[in-house]
Amino acid sequence: MSMKSLDDENQQDAVTPATLLLNSPILLSNWKSNKTVATSISDEGNKDDSSLVSLTGRHLSQKHELLTLFSDDPTKIHLRFNDIIYFLRDEKAMGTNNDNKIGFFRSYRGQAEQWKILPLALQWSNALIEAGKPILLQNELTGGLLSVIDDTLTVKNFHLNIDSSDDLADMVGTNYGREQVWLLDAVHTPPNPCYSSRPYMTGCHLYFPKRHDIIINQDPFENRSRRTFSAGQRPIIGGKGELSTLPVGMQERVIVEEVLGALLGLDGNYISFDVDDGIYRISEKKIDDNIAQLVDRILPTASDYVKVNAFVSSHLGGFEHGRIGHALCGAIDTLLQDYMNFITQLDDKVGSDEGLSLSALWGDVQSCVRTITILNKVVKVAAIHKGGAQLNALETLREAYLGDDNARVLFRFLLDRASTPYFDMLRGWIQDGTLKDPFSEFMVQESGNMKSQDFCYNLGDGSVDQWSSWYSLKDEHVLNLMKSGNELAGIDGSNMDLAMKIVTTGKYWNATSLCKHRDNRAAQLSSLSSKDGKGDLLSALSYGMGAAEMSRYVDREYEMSSRVLLNIFMRDYRTLDVLAFMKRYFLLDQGDFFVHFLDMAEDELLQEMSKVSRGRVQNWMAVSIQMSGGAGGEEGSPYDFEGPNDTVIDDIASNLTGAFATDSLISHLDALHSGGIDDTEPKTPSRHAYGGASKGLQGMEAFMLDFRTVPFPLSLILSRHSIANYQLMFRHLFFAKHVERRLVGTWLDHQVIKEYQSLRKDLGRTYFLRQRMLHFSQNFVYYILFEVIEPNWLSLKEQLQRKDSENEEQEYSGVECKTVDDVLRKHSEFVQKTLSECLLANRDLIRILTKLMTTCLLFTDQMKLFMETTQIQHEQNKIATESRQKRNRKMYEGLSAAREKKMTDSIKAAQEQRRLQKQRQVEKLQRELNTESYKRMITRFEQVFNSNLSEFMTQLMSDSNSHAHTHLQNLCVRLDYNGFVTRSMNIA
């Protein structure tokens, strides 16, 4: 039974890395077989198909072996003896049934599922439980102990009558055996052999009160006889008498041998270890005062040695203490071996002719007293820490011994040896992204086993967060050495501290390994590190190096990983061309694509969503892309070169698809802007335009572009969040251009009516209103395309452009971007700035703008209905027919005079009939235009449009002045270049 070295009773409550936590996964293994409890499905055809458990696990931390500790007390954090707990798996608790079988029978947690953790020694009662410590599990319903028979778990009843002075370990041999003793092991830690818990093999025997009992049978779990001796009756080799009756010289010889034994961690006849106080005491009080004083000076060193040795013995056998803890124990054990050799040499002097006096012994041990004392302080500090936190604790302790040369050498040795595993992990991490940290000791932790497809946005929202939190920093394991080097970490011009540079370096290497289309030339960049004469720094990386030296090494590896990944990202995956592709289609830079697509799909998209044929829309979109020039790279792009990465743009284009949003754009914006848009306001064009609760969403309002999938690493820049922003801008711009297209169609219809000169006066207000709407719509679209998107794109392109644009085959070297994160940040700034300047980030402006756009749409709908009602287009078709007949008169030249006269009369009669019909049409139009309903309609549209435009311009000018937004000022000038709007509407 392993016991942790303690110097007082209170330290039993000290939380160590091995202390078990509630609500954490563990393995439950049997002490006898070292097998773990695992789930097995009953083959007996139970009607509920209950999940039974058996002792068949291989201690591999597989899913069917993992159990979760749970307590009804939500305030409990750590597990203690005599606690009542549950073992959970898949929301079911392990319990017993009527046949005393063990399994996960139900989700309900009653007494059958409650287990009380009993200690094997009464002095452990209410102590914290550490991983690997033997326990008993008593079922609260039956009172029996969890047992195993032929790998089958059951509950076996025992009648335990334990006196408070007895030790439960004494009951093991008479009432139960190894089959009832269990271990709670930490996940991913291999089991220890049974002999690792034997006190005399672990060096912890001094902490057992009954260590002097003579056990005839060496196996305490076999039911055989044993002979023990009560206190004061243990066997004595050579006999024991009163020292006070001996001469002083004989007393000194006896005490010297006893003290030497104590310095080696042994009990003697007169000097023994007190378990309760954790120190050595001399039982004989009536001895010479000088001898007693010297013994009192030496024994603290012996006590410290026992504590240090117990710490090393108990921690070396526990994997949960980690590799750094093992390395520290190994370093301490090396010093203890030297100490034991030294004490052995002193013991040889006792039997020599020269002998060894107690005063000479005190003088000789002075060389190691300081070392043992410091080691005792070291183990006290190290016992409650793990990993990098343990190294930091030792570093803090070292500062308390400044000026002590011996302590400086000692701590240097301990820290160099203990930090070796840490710097091995650090070296592998920053060299190639290898993270081997099975016991959670390193400063970097992985959020999950992510692969390249985990960064594809279509697998879920938040891939940007996935990239930033793929690997995170554990502050408690960041070395103080790295914190002191933070002021030196920015020598390359970045503001990133040293610890974050280390995390980012390994993340870049891991991201590089996930890139499938990378060019071998990019990978070869890392080989340059072996040619610059600094390769020896790799092996020189150690705890002894200074902060400046470590910072230089990390900066060098950080720069190399950044260059490799950035070269792959920008050159091999043609990121700039991919962004140009996004601008072409998502931001409607390809104007003929929009025209071709709406020519084919407009009628379909004007239907409600339930009636839209998505297959036809998708087919028309694909045809429109092909007609508009396909997915070729941007003209003059420096990345347009032949190679295996030419397929990247093709892959992006082939994954482009049409999609339909489930919510209206205004609902999406409501979610973006805090407070949303008030739903209690009356029915407005805003709700009509982008869909509202009272009207089904139309295809034109819901249509957007999307991708089926995006390959890594392009999914970093085209993340779900980024694509959602592009879709917002697409829907906003798509609808604005649709409104412009409809108004242009109305303008074409009005050109037909302009032939009727007499109607110009009656249609004056209509023409004027249409022109104002068209002016607003065209200038707003122009503002978005040429005063927002284009300048922002040119700025982004300039920032992402390589320095040497003529030599695209060489390594990418950006003008402003040195890392992939720089590229992502620049692109994010571009997207956010474009969103803001398109008014999508301004709640008030977008609300008014949507009303204006819908007013224009409603006006075009009314004009289309007016044209259909008056059948003007039909009359124009007749006129066109007559024109064709006139042009074809020459066909009849050469005919007979009678035939020609007949044809001429027929044409004149048709012309006269057409003149009369045209006159009737004009009269009909005049009557329609002079009706009160038409006048009210135009007046109402004028009022609504003027009101909305006035509100929009007022808000626009207010925001542009108060927030000094130049883009809003540009829009004000474009919409009101001559001041007519502000003067006519009395806008200040």
Side-chain angles (χ1 to χ4, degrees):
M1 305 169 217
S2 63
M3 293 236 356
K4 180 179 169 299
S5 64
L6 308 170
D7 28 16
D8 52 51
E9 281 184 313
N10 293 333
Q11 220 168 337
Q12 285 190 353
D13 286 339
V15 178
T16 69
T19 304
L20 292 175
L21 301 175
L22 290 167
N23 299 316
S24 61
I26 55 96
L27 300 175
L28 179 61
S29 61
N30 184 258
W31 196 356
K32 180 178 181 179
S33 64
N34 270 338
K35 293 182 180 180
T36 59
V37 172
T39 305
S40 61
I41 303 300
S42 175
D43 297 328
E44 300 177 0
N46 293 340
K47 61 181 180 179
D48 58 351
D49 195 26
S50 300
S51 181
L52 301 177
V53 295
S54 60
L55 201 67
T56 57
R58 300 296 180 182
H59 218 293
L60 299 178
S61 299
Q62 296 179 344
K63 183 178 180 181
H64 66 282
E65 299 179 82
L66 300 182
L67 301 173
T68 301
L69 296 173
F70 182 79
S71 173
D72 285 330
D73 187 355
T75 62
K76 279 186 174 294
I77 300 176
H78 301 98
L79 190 64
R80 294 181 179 271
F81 284 109
N82 292 311
D83 281 349
I84 297 177
I85 62 169
Y86 303 94
F87 294 100
L88 302 182
R89 177 182 295 157
D90 297 332
E91 299 182 356
K92 290 188 176 182
M94 187 179 76
T96 180
N97 59 11
N98 295 331
D99 298 329
N100 285 338
K101 291 183 178 180
I102 306 300
F104 295 92
F105 300 112
R106 57 183 184 174
S107 300
Y108 175 76
R109 294 189 288 268
Q111 284 190 325
E113 288 76 29
Q114 293 178 344
W115 300 91
K116 186 175 184 179
I117 304 180
L118 300 178
L120 284 181
L122 287 181
Q123 70 266 24
W124 293 351
S125 298
N126 202 38
L128 292 171
I129 301 179
E130 295 182 348
K133 181 169 288 187
I135 61 172
L136 303 175
L137 291 172
Q138 184 181 38
N139 187 265
E140 284 294 288
L141 179 65
T142 64
L145 296 180
L146 182 64
S147 308
V148 59
I149 302 176
D150 297 331
D151 289 342
T152 300
L153 270 66
T154 185
V155 174
K156 189 174 182 180
N157 291 319
F158 293 91
H159 300 285
L160 301 179
N161 296 316
I162 304 173
D163 189 84
S164 60
S165 61
D166 291 336
D167 195 330
L168 280 180
D170 294 335
M171 306 295 296
V172 173
T174 58
N175 292 301
Y176 52 88
R178 293 181 183 272
E179 294 82 0
Q180 287 80 44
V181 181
W182 301 88
L183 304 174
L184 297 176
D185 296 320
V187 178
H188 301 302
T189 57
N192 290 320
C194 294
Y195 62 77
S196 65
S197 62
R198 293 165 60 177
Y200 281 92
M201 294 196 69
T202 61
C204 300
H205 57 281
L206 291 177
Y207 284 93
F208 287 79
K210 298 188 177 182
R211 59 186 179 277
H212 300 296
D213 294 351
I214 296 180
I215 303 176
I216 296 179
N217 180 29
Q218 294 300 321
D219 190 349
F221 295 98
E222 295 292 338
N223 189 14
R224 300 179 184 177
S225 63
R226 69 166 76 190
R227 181 163 59 92
T228 63
F229 296 85
S230 60
Q233 294 182 342
R234 64 177 182 272
I236 303 172
I237 300 177
K240 175 181 177 181
E242 295 290 338
L243 280 179
S244 59
T245 61
L246 300 178
V248 174
M250 185 64 68
Q251 290 181 19
E252 184 177 11
R253 291 186 59 187
V254 173
I255 291 299
V256 166
E257 292 185 358
E258 294 277 320
V259 169
L260 286 173
L263 289 173
L264 293 174
L266 303 175
D267 273 335
N269 293 323
Y270 302 101
I271 298 178
S272 60
F273 189 78
D274 189 336
V275 178
D276 295 331
D277 295 332
I279 60 175
Y280 271 104
R281 296 185 184 277
I282 183 170
S283 58
E284 185 62 52
K285 302 298 183 182
K286 297 179 181 181
I287 59 175
D288 184 73
D289 291 341
N290 293 330
I291 294 176
Q293 290 180 5
L294 289 174
V295 170
D296 290 340
R297 293 181 181 180
I298 298 175
L299 287 185
T301 301
S303 301
D304 290 344
Y305 166 75
V306 170
K307 298 169 186 176
V308 174
N309 186 55
F311 172 85
V312 172
S313 301
S314 60
H315 281 64
L316 278 177
F319 289 93
E320 59 276 358
H321 297 287
R323 296 166 58 194
I324 294 176
H326 285 184
L328 176 62
C329 290
I332 296 175
D333 188 61
T334 300
L335 297 175
L336 293 183
Q337 294 299 323
D338 294 339
Y339 165 81
M340 294 178 65
N341 291 336
F342 174 72
I343 300 300
T344 303
Q345 293 174 4
L346 294 180
D347 187 65
D348 292 341
K349 287 185 179 182
V350 176
S352 64
D353 295 335
E354 58 180 321
L356 182 67
S357 64
L358 194 59
S359 60
L361 174 61
W362 169 241
D364 289 339
V365 299
Q366 289 301 307
S367 60
C368 58
V369 168
R370 185 66 169 168
T371 300
I372 297 299
T373 302
I374 294 177
L375 288 180
N376 185 38
K377 298 291 185 182
V378 167
V379 299
K380 287 181 180 179
V381 171
I384 57 177
H385 294 96
K386 180 181 180 181
Q390 193 175 70
L391 297 176
N392 287 336
L394 295 181
E395 180 65 30
T396 303
L397 182 62
R398 179 168 70 170
E399 295 176 358
Y401 291 91
L402 292 177
D404 189 335
D405 292 338
N406 292 332
R408 178 179 57 81
V409 174
L410 175 61
F411 276 103
R412 177 66 178 270
F413 172 75
L414 292 177
L415 286 171
D416 284 347
R417 292 282 295 272
S419 63
T420 299
Y422 189 95
F423 279 88
D424 287 343
M425 290 185 282
L426 176 61
R427 193 177 297 110
W429 174 252
I430 62 179
Q431 184 183 12
D432 54 21
T434 301
L435 182 60
K436 294 182 179 179
D437 184 23
F439 306 112
S440 300
E441 302 173 278
F442 192 48
M443 60 185 291
V444 178
Q445 67 178 354
E446 188 176 9
S447 61
N449 296 321
M450 290 188 179
K451 302 300 181 184
S452 59
Q453 61 268 22
D454 292 312
F455 293 103
C456 292
Y457 76 91
N458 59 312
L459 295 183
D461 293 342
S463 64
V464 172
D465 295 333
Q466 286 180 355
W467 168 250
S468 60
S469 63
W470 184 11
Y471 293 98
S472 58
L473 187 66
K474 294 188 288 187
D475 293 330
E476 67 273 16
H477 293 312
V478 178
L479 299 184
N480 293 334
L481 175 65
M482 298 174 182
K483 297 176 182 178
S484 63
N486 281 345
E487 63 272 12
L488 302 172
I491 59 177
D492 63 344
S494 73
N495 295 323
M496 188 182 301
D497 60 32
L498 184 59
M500 285 307 302
K501 274 192 176 181
I502 291 174
V503 176
T504 306
T505 299
K507 182 171 72 170
Y508 283 170
W509 287 127
N510 280 283
T512 300
S513 65
L514 295 178
C515 299
K516 296 181 179 179
H517 294 287
R518 60 178 177 175
D519 197 308
N520 291 332
R521 292 168 297 181
Q524 291 171 358
L525 291 176
S526 59
S527 65
L528 297 176
S529 60
S530 61
K531 299 179 182 180
D532 56 8
K534 299 181 180 179
D536 294 338
L537 279 176
L538 181 64
S539 58
L541 186 63
S542 64
Y543 196 89
M545 67 174 14
E549 187 179 2
M550 178 179 291
S551 180
R552 285 195 298 270
Y553 175 74
V554 172
D555 286 342
R556 174 176 168 273
E557 294 298 321
Y558 171 76
E559 180 184 357
M560 179 56 62
S561 64
S562 301
R563 287 170 55 195
V564 173
L565 181 60
L566 182 62
N567 196 52
I568 293 173
F569 190 64
M570 295 300 297
R571 189 189 68 179
D572 298 349
Y573 279 84
R574 302 177 65 178
T575 299
L576 195 55
D577 281 346
V578 171
L579 294 180
F581 177 87
M582 297 295 295
K583 174 175 177 280
R584 172 177 293 185
Y585 293 105
F586 279 79
L587 303 183
L588 296 180
D589 184 56
Q590 192 78 20
D592 53 347
F593 160 73
F594 173 80
V595 174
H596 293 322
F597 178 66
L598 281 190
D599 284 345
M600 292 182 286
E602 184 172 18
D603 292 338
E604 187 74 25
L605 292 177
L606 288 176
Q607 302 182 86
E608 292 188 4
M609 278 298 304
S610 59
K611 300 179 181 179
V612 173
S613 173
R614 302 194 178 199
R616 284 198 295 267
V617 172
Q618 176 66 30
N619 182 61
W620 288 328
M621 191 197 74
V623 172
S624 301
I625 292 177
Q626 294 177 0
M627 295 175 63
S628 64
E634 185 182 14
E635 183 179 358
S637 170
Y639 302 91
D640 192 11
F641 59 91
E642 295 183 358
N645 49 12
D646 285 341
T647 60
V648 173
I649 300 298
D650 294 336
D651 290 344
I652 291 293
S654 62
N655 281 293
L656 183 65
T657 180
F660 292 90
T662 56
D663 296 326
S664 63
L665 179 60
I666 199 67
S667 299
H668 199 159
L669 292 174
D670 284 347
L672 284 179
H673 304 303
S674 59
I677 297 178
D678 189 7
D679 281 322
T680 60
E681 62 180 283
K683 179 79 171 137
T684 65
S686 168
R687 288 294 175 177
H688 175 78
Y690 293 107
S694 61
K695 179 183 177 182
L697 204 61
Q698 288 186 354
M700 188 68 70
E701 302 160 1
F703 179 74
M704 62 184 181
L705 299 181
D706 204 348
F707 288 108
R708 298 184 184 92
T709 184
V710 179
F712 183 84
L714 291 177
S715 57
L716 297 179
I717 200 166
L718 298 183
S719 63
R720 177 70 269 175
H721 179 72
S722 178
I723 291 295
N725 286 330
Y726 273 108
Q727 288 173 338
L728 276 177
M729 290 186 286
F730 174 83
R731 295 178 66 184
H732 183 53
L733 187 55
F734 186 77
F735 187 78
K737 287 182 70 69
H738 168 63
V739 172
E740 180 191 12
R741 176 186 171 93
R742 292 287 299 275
L743 287 171
V744 170
T746 302
W747 176 83
L748 291 175
D749 290 340
H750 286 174
Q751 302 310 303
V752 176
I753 306 178
K754 281 187 177 181
E755 180 181 350
Y756 307 117
Q757 298 294 330
S758 59
L759 298 179
R760 283 182 175 272
K761 180 180 178 180
D762 297 325
L763 286 170
R765 292 175 61 193
T766 304
Y767 291 161
F768 182 61
L769 178 60
R770 179 258 303 155
Q771 189 59 34
R772 290 178 61 200
M773 291 181 175
L774 187 59
H775 171 267
F776 176 84
S777 177
Q778 288 179 331
N779 281 275
F780 182 73
V781 171
Y782 180 90
Y783 161 78
I784 294 179
L785 291 177
F786 298 102
E787 294 189 6
V788 174
I789 295 177
E790 193 64 26
N792 291 345
W793 165 252
L794 292 176
S795 176
L796 175 66
K797 182 180 176 182
E798 181 180 358
Q799 292 170 348
L800 301 186
Q801 191 73 42
R802 64 164 66 238
K803 292 180 180 178
D804 185 8
S805 59
E806 297 180 356
N807 196 0
E808 65 275 3
E809 293 285 341
Q810 299 300 320
E811 176 188 355
Y812 172 86
S813 179
V815 176
E816 298 185 23
C817 300
K818 305 299 181 183
T819 67
V820 169
D821 284 313
D822 290 340
V823 175
L824 299 181
R825 184 173 61 256
K826 294 294 184 183
H827 176 255
S828 178
E829 292 173 357
F830 160 76
V831 172
Q832 294 303 320
K833 184 179 180 181
T834 305
L835 271 174
S836 176
E837 295 182 358
C838 288
L839 310 185
L840 287 171
N842 191 313
R843 173 183 177 271
D844 297 324
L845 283 177
I846 198 65
R847 177 178 59 84
I848 306 168
L849 177 64
T850 51
K851 291 181 180 181
L852 272 170
M853 291 292 185
T854 303
T855 302
C856 297
L857 270 185
L858 294 176
F859 175 77
T860 60
D861 289 340
Q862 291 297 323
M863 289 298 100
K864 184 178 180 180
L865 182 61
F866 175 77
M867 296 294 291
E868 292 175 353
T869 303
T870 56
Q871 297 183 348
I872 297 178
Q873 192 65 41
H874 177 69
E875 297 298 329
Q876 289 299 314
N877 291 336
K878 290 183 177 181
I879 296 175
T881 302
E882 294 177 1
S883 299
R884 285 195 300 272
Q885 291 177 350
K886 290 180 180 180
R887 288 193 301 268
N888 294 331
R889 284 181 181 178
K890 60 182 180 179
M891 294 175 55
Y892 305 104
E893 293 180 359
L895 297 177
S896 62
R899 185 75 177 269
E900 183 178 359
K901 183 177 182 301
K902 184 179 179 180
M903 183 64 66
T904 301
D905 294 341
S906 177
I907 292 176
K908 287 181 178 181
Q911 289 177 344
E912 180 64 21
Q913 184 179 1
R914 177 71 190 99
R915 186 185 64 79
L916 295 175
Q917 189 174 2
K918 183 178 180 180
Q919 185 177 356
R920 289 194 298 270
Q921 185 68 33
V922 170
E923 294 173 354
K924 180 180 179 181
L925 285 173
Q926 286 178 334
R927 289 195 301 271
E928 183 68 26
L929 293 174
N930 291 324
T931 58
E932 291 298 325
S933 61
Y934 183 86
K935 292 179 179 180
R936 283 197 305 269
M937 178 191 71
I938 297 301
T939 301
R940 178 57 180 164
F941 272 115
E942 286 178 338
Q943 292 173 350
V944 172
F945 183 77
N946 289 337
S947 174
N948 292 336
L949 183 59
S950 175
E951 186 180 2
F952 181 78
M953 293 299 297
T954 302
Q955 185 66 42
L956 193 65
M957 296 175 66
S958 174
D959 289 349
S960 64
N961 293 330
S962 60
H963 301 292
H965 290 164
T966 56
H967 63 279
L968 297 183
Q969 294 175 352
N970 294 338
L971 183 58
C972 287
V973 173
R974 177 155 295 279
L975 295 178
D976 189 27
Y977 66 94
N978 58 2
F980 171 77
V981 175
T982 54
R983 288 196 306 269
S984 61
M985 298 181 181
N986 296 322
I987 300 176

